[in-house]
Amino acid sequence: MPYGYHGTILHINLTTGEHYIEHPEETFYRTYMGGSALGLWYILREVMPGTDPLGPENVLTFSNSVLTGTPVHGQSRTTANAKSPLTGGIGDSQAGGFWPAELKFAGFDAIVIRGRAPKPVYLWLHDGKVELRDAAHLWGLDTGETMQRIRDELGDPRIEVAAIGPAGENLVRYAAIMNMANRAFGRTGMGAVMGSKNLKAIAVRGKQRPAMFDKERVLALSRWGRDHVDNIGALAKYGTSVVVKAQNYVGGLPTRNYSRGVFEHAKEISGQTMYHTILVDRDTCYACATKCKRVVEVKDGPYTVDRLYGGPEYETIATFGSYCEVGDLKAIAKANELCNRYGLDTISAGATIAWAMEAFENGALTLEETDGIDLRFGNADAMLQALDALAHRRGRLGDLLAEGSARAAQRIGRGSDAFLITVKGQEAPAHMPQIKRSLGLIYAVNPFGADHQSSEHDTSYMPKSSKRDLERLAMLGLTNPQDLDALNREKVEFALKTQYFYSVLDTLGLCQFDWGPAWQLYGPEHLADYVNAVTGWDVTLDELMTVGQRRLNMLRVFNAREGIGRDADKLTKRLHKMLTDEPNNGLQITPEELEQAKDLYYEMAGWDVRTGYPTAETLAALGLEWVPGLT
């Protein structure tokens, strides 16, 4: 019997309304395990190069892992994959909450969605049963309203719903899919793909919990996590926003669209200020004691905020705060609420508006083109007006910003590309590559664009890093910590090996606050034991690192078939900009340094140094010789 999974993958064709259940062999699960590795197994076979990301030929997958739904902290995460309408390469997005575990309990390990429904529909999965239901009455509703309507309609308040809002319906290229109305499948525009398929929501409910091979070992690991949750320090109490002041202190808080690294109002928008002012609760995901999710509420004033839509995390605070030079925490919380209501990735939304602010102030966008909105840095009302417009593609400004900053700059010209902070068309998160230089390398080479959760950050691998961080990294063969400003062979190896580790976490659907190679609650010493206790397998840490390597190569191969390789692995001029703020005056990552680091990275990864594509030898070693469309 299978342990940890059902052996059931749902395939549904929205064009015809037909579906079938696939029952893969155990070897399939042990090889791909879950997440985007599992999703890419189907996408690489079926999505042909040149496919329109918003066309019916694109395939959208939702994949749990063999660990999802077990009673251990940080395991309730699902990955969504499809060709990205934002980057034109692979789209990859994870979300937590209760929906991932409930999908498993509904009887399914993954969903593979093809085609386009002739009219709006939603998918209802319950205890192994599959229904496509009419969603015409839901079209146009925001994510919270959609969730409540479906629960009322199906008569169960415990149904979990993953839904798009108006942004996904209007094909905003960075639209998100929301569950619980506050957990986002953000990044890379998976909400737009779902909208292009006329799929409004996926509702799940069930009681089919897979057996565990050694339940007592699993429960012991859960108890260990509960007893050591304080190991992650203030992250549980203050959430990710605890780092706002720290980033600002070291000159690494992106400000004024990444023009500098210090924001004068950092304290006012920090996690500590949120905790003492508008925070009303700390939410959690299924079976997790960390409770890191922010819940805020504002009942009066110009920026009222509904607690249903959660609260802003660090990236959201930065993109709508320091990026836009907005120092009003309540306005930022309102922007977060609107993103979650409408279904938007907060990083791309905030960064695109920051780009537009700089373009406006430099004359590249006119007042006529902004529909009369005075889109200047620091104007919180203008920021929120632009956000509302882009979610609905309202007016000239809304339609422009809904395309993302890279396409918008291409459309208007006038030198506005000088203000971009994009990689492969996706806006950069709020960790500056001038300071975290190996992270800058990962920004460039990551298959789905700049991402801050695809490798460990440089600050964990320094001579002065904590003993626990360095002992854990040594388990990955990293035993020579480097100064923060190094970008040498050792630091490149650190970037790649931790990228493999983060890649296996995304394959196994594990939260990177609870699981990681350094400072997190659980470390490499726990990972294989957890997998084996659930599944009854005998995997090792080395085998799991290979799983992470396999996933990374599958993502990279998809891009290679689209012609996305070394030439696309680059940072914009703004991300190479020398910092002039104290304490980091003079810091930068030069184009020459990045190119040298890329040479080392490709060599270590087993990729062609000239093209950046995985070699046939590397793919064969990973069991990926079956991948079609490669020469």
Side-chain angles (χ1 to χ4, degrees):
M1 65 176 292
Y3 293 102
Y5 61 95
H6 295 293
T8 57
I9 294 178
L10 171 64
H11 295 255
I12 186 158
N13 187 321
L14 295 175
T15 302
T16 64
E18 298 172 330
H19 75 271
Y20 67 92
I21 308 295
E22 179 190 8
H23 301 285
E25 298 293 328
E26 181 179 14
T27 53
F28 175 81
Y29 285 92
R30 179 148 180 177
T31 302
Y32 301 103
M33 294 197 180
S36 42
L38 192 153
L40 263 290
W41 195 87
Y42 299 97
I43 289 172
L44 284 168
R45 282 173 160 79
E46 299 185 33
V47 179
M48 296 298 101
T51 293
D52 179 0
L54 298 176
E57 296 80 13
N58 200 3
V59 175
L60 174 64
T61 63
F62 293 87
S63 308
N64 280 337
S65 89
V66 295
L67 303 178
T68 312
T70 56
V72 173
H73 317 285
Q75 48 58 49
S76 184
R77 294 183 70 79
T78 301
T79 301
N81 292 105
K83 185 175 182 181
S84 168
L86 183 65
T87 71
I90 189 61
D92 190 89
S93 180
Q94 295 87 33
F98 283 73
W99 190 89
E102 200 66 39
L103 172 62
K104 178 72 75 72
F105 302 155
F108 302 98
D109 301 318
I111 312 170
V112 182
I113 303 170
R114 303 172 179 88
R116 173 187 289 152
K119 60 181 182 179
V121 295
Y122 74 91
L123 187 58
W124 169 219
L125 308 179
H126 51 109
D127 281 322
K129 298 182 178 64
V130 180
E131 295 182 51
L132 266 181
R133 300 176 67 101
D134 180 72
H137 60 301
L138 304 175
W139 208 253
L141 299 184
D142 69 32
T143 59
E145 293 168 337
T146 300
M147 176 181 69
Q148 192 56 53
R149 288 279 190 95
I150 289 175
R151 286 175 170 175
D152 291 345
E153 183 175 307
L154 298 176
D156 187 345
R158 299 185 66 181
I159 288 170
E160 296 296 339
V161 179
I164 58 170
E169 297 173 2
N170 290 303
L171 307 184
V172 176
R173 289 186 183 270
Y174 43 91
I177 303 164
M178 306 299 302
N179 78 83
M180 300 178 69
N182 53 47
R183 308 301 209 280
F185 292 92
R187 311 262 70 191
T188 68
M190 296 299 93
V193 175
M194 194 159 155
S196 75
K197 294 183 175 299
N198 277 332
L199 181 59
K200 178 64 175 179
I202 304 174
V204 294
R205 185 80 170 100
K207 300 178 182 178
Q208 299 185 21
R209 301 180 183 231
M212 293 174 279
F213 178 76
D214 190 337
K215 186 176 180 179
E216 285 307 311
R217 278 170 65 195
V218 174
L219 292 176
L221 188 65
S222 179
R223 289 191 293 269
W224 186 94
R226 177 200 63 199
D227 295 341
H228 292 82
V229 71
D230 289 342
N231 286 356
I232 60 174
L235 261 176
K237 180 177 181 180
Y238 296 118
T240 57
S241 55
V242 70
V243 305
V244 170
K245 290 201 297 184
Q247 292 277 74
N248 193 66
Y249 178 78
V250 300
L253 180 64
T255 300
R256 198 177 179 87
N257 192 33
Y258 253 85
S259 291
R260 57 178 186 264
V262 175
F263 183 41
E264 62 180 343
H265 298 295
K267 181 180 179 181
E268 292 97 305
I269 64 173
S270 68
Q272 292 87 338
T273 297
M274 186 195 307
Y275 183 85
H276 293 293
T277 55
I278 62 175
L279 188 79
V280 294
D281 201 0
R282 289 164 49 195
D283 200 0
T284 191
C285 300
Y286 174 78
C288 186
T290 305
K291 298 188 69 175
C292 66
K293 180 64 180 172
R294 305 296 91 185
V295 181
V296 304
E297 185 175 54
V298 180
K299 292 184 176 181
D300 49 33
Y303 309 120
T304 59
V305 179
D306 186 339
R307 62 183 291 160
L308 173 65
Y309 298 95
E313 301 292 341
Y314 167 68
E315 302 296 332
T316 308
I317 287 175
T319 51
F320 285 106
S322 57
Y323 280 35
C324 295
E325 288 198 322
V326 169
D328 188 328
L329 183 59
K330 293 180 179 178
I332 296 167
K334 184 64 178 181
N336 179 78
E337 182 208 272
L338 292 179
C339 284
N340 290 350
R341 275 186 183 274
Y342 298 152
L344 284 165
D345 176 66
T346 61
I347 297 175
S348 281
T352 296
I353 292 171
W355 166 85
M357 286 176 164
E358 188 165 6
F360 181 78
E361 290 201 356
N362 283 274
L365 266 179
T366 67
L367 194 63
E368 181 181 3
E369 289 169 323
T370 65
D371 301 314
I373 298 174
D374 187 30
L375 201 57
R376 298 183 182 277
F377 284 112
N379 188 338
D381 290 339
M383 176 184 74
L384 294 171
Q385 289 169 10
L387 180 61
D388 188 77
L390 71 85
H392 297 89
R393 284 191 179 266
R394 183 185 306 117
R396 294 178 65 179
L397 181 66
D399 189 59
L400 178 71
L401 300 187
E403 292 293 294
S405 57
R407 281 182 173 81
Q410 188 176 28
R411 182 186 294 185
I412 68 170
R414 304 169 195 161
S416 59
D417 60 338
F419 314 136
L420 290 174
I421 58 165
T422 52
V423 178
K424 299 180 177 72
Q426 177 164 258
E427 290 72 19
H431 298 267
M432 302 187 79
Q434 297 96 324
I435 295 173
K436 298 177 177 179
R437 290 151 65 81
S438 81
L439 188 64
L441 168 64
I442 296 299
Y443 278 8
V445 301
N446 192 54
F448 45 88
D451 183 61
H452 61 295
Q453 288 185 266
S454 287
S455 67
E456 188 53 59
H457 293 203
D458 301 60
T459 46
S460 293
Y461 195 48
M462 300 167 60
K464 64 180 181 181
S465 297
S466 75
K467 179 181 178 182
R468 184 177 65 147
D469 287 5
L470 296 179
E471 286 177 347
R472 285 181 164 179
L473 288 168
M475 297 177 191
L476 308 185
L478 298 166
T479 59
N480 186 20
Q482 300 291 303
D483 291 336
L484 184 63
D485 60 356
L487 191 58
N488 52 22
R489 176 174 284 275
E490 179 69 22
K491 187 65 79 70
V492 172
E493 183 179 8
F494 161 77
L496 180 60
K497 284 187 173 179
T498 60
Q499 189 179 25
Y500 288 162
F501 193 87
Y502 274 68
S503 185
V504 76
L505 294 181
D506 285 343
T507 306
L508 291 170
L510 294 176
C511 175
Q512 294 170 9
F513 298 150
D514 287 308
W515 290 85
W519 54 268
Q520 293 88 347
L521 175 60
Y522 297 107
E525 69 272 29
H526 301 104
L527 193 57
D529 185 55
Y530 180 22
V531 174
N532 293 334
V534 172
T535 64
W537 298 337
D538 57 354
V539 301
T540 63
L541 180 58
D542 285 344
E543 181 180 341
L544 292 174
M545 289 289 282
T546 299
V547 170
Q549 183 183 7
R550 182 179 297 116
R551 168 190 175 266
L552 179 61
N553 276 267
M554 294 174 80
L555 296 167
R556 189 78 184 190
V557 163
F558 182 95
N559 281 8
R561 299 194 313 177
E562 298 289 341
I564 301 171
R566 179 168 187 143
D567 290 345
D569 291 348
K570 60 185 179 182
L571 305 177
T572 59
K573 292 180 180 179
R574 176 58 57 81
L575 296 176
H576 283 297
K577 175 185 170 71
M578 180 183 291
L579 298 180
T580 57
D581 300 306
E582 294 297 338
N584 287 317
N585 185 26
L587 286 186
Q588 69 175 139
I589 177 172
T590 68
E592 295 76 19
E593 288 175 312
L594 180 61
E595 290 303 309
Q596 292 169 6
K598 283 163 56 178
D599 285 346
L600 292 171
Y601 175 91
Y602 298 144
E603 173 194 321
M604 294 178 187
W607 299 348
D608 185 283
V609 174
R610 181 180 59 86
T611 64
Y613 298 161
T615 65
E617 293 78 13
T618 295
L619 295 177
L622 295 169
L624 297 175
E625 64 277 0
W626 57 264
V627 175
L630 291 179
T631 57

